[in-house]
């Protein structure tokens, strides 16, 4: 904050900061119903992500995708996030379409999701029609279609998420409370999408609603996945069409004009003037001109996601391997126990999503109760650190209480005691609390700091996304060798996550500045630097 006080009369270069002189003296926040309508798109997005987490890995095995290809496929998420969100954010800040700045990108993203889901769901059928043999395990043509569809899906999801967050920031105007509330509702609808996606994925007879989904090349499991994706497309397109039809988005004008609006309530676009700069020059300038609060936000967010990703990637594997004592590559007895553990982990993810949704609705109340959003984020980071450390205790208890039974002269592994299973499921549920904060507070702070500086919302949120996808790439590449260094298993990565969460909490408490107080709507923001 002190650095902001020393620089409050210095405007950052115009290559990143939209000219403050062009900001309107009053940006009226939109009604809550419009914010909720736009935030609801997150349910459609997350429904598809939940299906990916619960169903795509077995589908990949069904198509016979080699392990090296599988690693390449799952790397798509962070790579596309690193590139697509900043690019889309940059252009959505400057979009002059008569439909507005954000709506064209959201609509295009939803359309590409529908195309991608069609390719993924019908990959086996398209491959068979193109010449794949049903007698061979590997189906190269189906794999090619799947890979293309999967990459399009990740790119399209990133096209959707960035502009959705930026649109919510536009709708919130200069009100920090509305900004926090809009991101909390986005987190809530993410939880709703998770619950719906996991529920659809766990219902094994959904394909009966679409009898045509089962074909020679597509067995019952494949048909069920295809049916889930049909529902995913309908949900996402319905929410997107309703939201974009109801909520107006004003186009940006390079001359500083905001265009015509229907009424004062719909005037959510910000008429600002900027000097055109190539995209990569804009990104370089964005980092060069970031003020101290935003740098600290990026650092805290980065460490926070270093803590989260090991658990998000290996949570169900931890249940199957460490808690239930199974092994995905061992004999049939251990394989069955591993599958039971994975299903128990899926139940844990469902509980996690429920707690995530409930907590998201109470973020504003929780922040007031602990004395501000930075304190809340610091507290839940320590909660995350404790939860990740508790995985060690649960694992050791499960190992020391491993039970076997003898049937027909053979020894068979039994599930862990009920108390250990309950403890593991409770851990999943409790982690929904810090997850709700992670999905809302950092994005709200980025939008608030962006408003304070006059920076474009789309590009600012795209820069924030870099502090999420880079840790994901590091964890994806390094977690395997790191775990192998300590004899395998998931605990070494979880320990690193616990340490990262604790450091993130300390930095949130000691270095992250509190956001400035809300500016009264009838007064003009007087400074151009972060505070």
């Amino acid at each position: 904050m002190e650095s902001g006080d020393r620089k409050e009369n210095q405007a950052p270069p115009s290559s990143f900061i939209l000219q403050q002189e062009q900001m309107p003296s009053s940006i009226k926040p939109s009604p809550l119903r419009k914010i909720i309508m736009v935030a609801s798109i997150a349910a459609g997005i997350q429904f598809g992500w939940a299906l990916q987490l619960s169903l795509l890995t077995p589908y990949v095995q069904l198509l016979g995708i080699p392990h090296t290809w599988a690693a390449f496929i799952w790397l798509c998420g962070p790579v596309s996030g690193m590139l697509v969100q900043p690019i889309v954010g940059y252009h959505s800040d400057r979009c002059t379409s008569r439909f507005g700045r954000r709506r064209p990108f959201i609509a295009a993203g939803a359309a590409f999701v529908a195309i991608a889901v069609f390719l993924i769901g019908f990959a086996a059928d398209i491959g068979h029609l193109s010449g794949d043999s049903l007698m061979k395990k590997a189906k190269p043509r189906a794999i090619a279609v799947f890979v293309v569809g999967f990459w399009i899906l990740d790119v399209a999801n990133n096209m959707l998420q960035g502009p959705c967050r930026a649109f919510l920031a536009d709708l919130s105007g200069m009100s920090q409370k509305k900004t926090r509330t809009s991101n909390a509702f986005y987190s809530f609808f993410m939880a709703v999408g998770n619950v719906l996606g996991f529920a659809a994925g766990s219902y094994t007879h959904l394909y009966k609603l679409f009898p045509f989904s089962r074909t020679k090349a597509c067995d019952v499991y494949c048909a069920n996945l295809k049916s889930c994706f049909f529902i995913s497309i309908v949900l996402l397109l319905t929410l997107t069409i309703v939201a974009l039809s109801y909520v107006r988005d004003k186009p940006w004008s390079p001359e500083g004009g905001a265009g015509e609006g229907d009424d004062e309530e719909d005037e959510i676009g910000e008429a600002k003037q900027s000097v055109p700069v190539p995209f990569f020059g804009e990104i370089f300038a964005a980092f060069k001109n970031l003020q101290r609060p935003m740098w600290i936000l990026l650092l805290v967010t980065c460490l926070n996601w270093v803590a989260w990703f090991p658990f998000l990637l290996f949570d169900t594997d931890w249940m199957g391997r460490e808690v239930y004592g199974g092994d995905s590559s061992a004999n049939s007895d251990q394989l069955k126990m591993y599958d039971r553990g994975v299903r128990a982990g899926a139940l844990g993810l469902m509980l996690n999503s429920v707690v995530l949704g409930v907590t998201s609705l109470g973020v504003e109340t929780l922040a007031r109760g602990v004395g501000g959003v930075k304190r809340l984020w610091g507290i839940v980071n320590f909660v995350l650190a404790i939860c990740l450390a508790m995985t060690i205790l649960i694992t050791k208890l499960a190992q020391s209480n491993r039970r076997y039974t003898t049937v027909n002269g053979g020894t068979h592994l039994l599930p862990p005691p009920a108390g250990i299973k309950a403890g593991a499921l409770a851990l999943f549920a409790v982690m929904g609390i810090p997850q709700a904060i992670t999905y809302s507070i950092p994005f709200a702070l980025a939008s608030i700091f962006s408003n304070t500086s006059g920076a474009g919302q789309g590009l600012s949120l795209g820069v924030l996304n870099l502090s999420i996808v880079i840790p994901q790439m590091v964890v994806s590449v390094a977690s395997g060798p790191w775990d192998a260094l300590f004899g395998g298993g998931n605990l070494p990565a979880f320990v690193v996550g616990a340490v990262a969460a604790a450091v993130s909490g300390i930095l949130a408490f000691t270095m992250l500045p509190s956001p400035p107080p809300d500016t009264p709507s009838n007064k003009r923001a007087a400074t151009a630097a972060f505070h």
Side-chain angles (χ1 to χ4, degrees), residues 103 140 184 254 331 410 422 424-425 428 460 490:
R103 290 197 300 172
N331 58 55
L425 292 176
F428 273 88
S460 297
N490 297 303

Side-chain angles (χ1 to χ4, degrees), residues 157-426:
N157 274 323
N158 279 292
M159 282 183 66
L160 267 169
Q161 292 181 75
C164 271
R165 295 270 193 183
F167 199 8
L168 290 174
D170 295 340
L171 291 167
S172 302
M174 300 296 289
S175 170
Q176 293 184 28
K177 182 178 179 181
K178 276 287 180 68
T179 301
R180 294 191 297 268
T181 300
S182 64
N183 280 278
F185 272 112
Y186 191 91
S187 177
F188 167 75
F189 281 109
M190 288 178 70
V192 172
N194 273 336
V195 172
L196 294 176
F198 290 136
S202 64
Y203 184 60
T204 57
H205 300 290
L206 200 60
Y207 72 95
K208 293 181 179 179
L209 295 175
F210 307 96
F212 59 87
S213 62
R214 187 175 179 182
T215 63
K216 289 183 179 180
C218 188
D219 61 10
V220 173
Y221 183 89
C222 170
N224 200 58
L225 172 69
K226 198 185 295 182
S227 302
C228 288
F229 276 148
F230 289 153
I231 297 174
S232 173
I233 292 175
V234 172
L235 177 64
L236 176 61
L237 293 182
T238 300
L239 292 172
T240 302
I241 292 171
V242 171
L244 298 188
S245 300
Y246 179 66
V247 184
R248 304 299 297 273
D249 178 21
K250 293 185 67 176
W252 174 78
S253 170
E255 288 77 27
E260 296 296 330
D262 289 344
D263 53 59
E264 183 180 3
E265 185 178 81
D266 287 329
E267 293 184 359
I268 59 175
E270 300 177 12
K272 304 172 185 177
Q273 186 177 14
S274 67
V275 178
V277 176
F279 167 71
F280 289 105
E282 189 83 5
I283 285 287
F284 176 77
F287 280 105
K288 181 180 178 181
N289 298 310
L290 285 181
Q291 301 298 307
R292 181 174 178 270
M294 194 66 180
W295 276 115
I296 297 173
L297 175 62
L298 295 179
L299 177 60
V300 175
T301 302
C302 179
L303 290 170
N304 184 233
W305 282 99
V306 168
W308 269 114
F309 275 124
F311 190 79
L312 294 177
L313 290 174
F314 307 117
D315 45 15
T316 55
D317 183 71
W318 171 68
M319 283 289 284
R321 193 180 303 275
E322 275 90 350
V323 178
Y324 274 70
D327 190 337
S328 59
S329 59
N331 58 55
S332 59
D333 189 51
Q334 284 187 299
L335 178 60
K336 289 179 181 178
M337 194 55 62
Y338 178 82
D339 289 339
R340 290 187 64 174
V342 169
R343 289 198 298 272
L347 174 60
L349 290 174
M350 179 76 77
L351 297 174
N352 173 274
S353 298
V354 172
V355 175
L356 166 63
V358 174
T359 305
S360 297
L361 296 178
V363 168
E364 191 69 23
T365 302
L366 289 173
R368 286 198 303 267
V370 300
V373 292
K374 61 170 283 185
R375 288 187 180 181
L376 176 60
W377 198 12
I379 290 171
V380 298
N381 275 332
F382 286 117
V383 173
L384 174 60
I386 293 171
C387 288
L388 290 173
M390 287 295 292
T391 60
I392 301 174
L393 175 62
I394 294 173
T395 298
K396 297 304 179 184
L397 288 174
Q399 290 173 347
S400 63
N401 289 276
R402 201 75 76 200
R403 302 177 301 169
Y404 298 86
T405 185
T406 301
V407 179
N408 297 327
T411 302
H412 299 276
L413 179 64
L414 292 175
I420 294 175
K421 289 190 290 186
L425 292 176

Side-chain angles (χ1 to χ4, degrees), residues 20 53 74 114 208 211 269 341 372 386 493 511:
Q20 192 73 15
L53 291 173
W74 288 108
K208 293 181 179 179
I386 293 171
M511 296 182 64

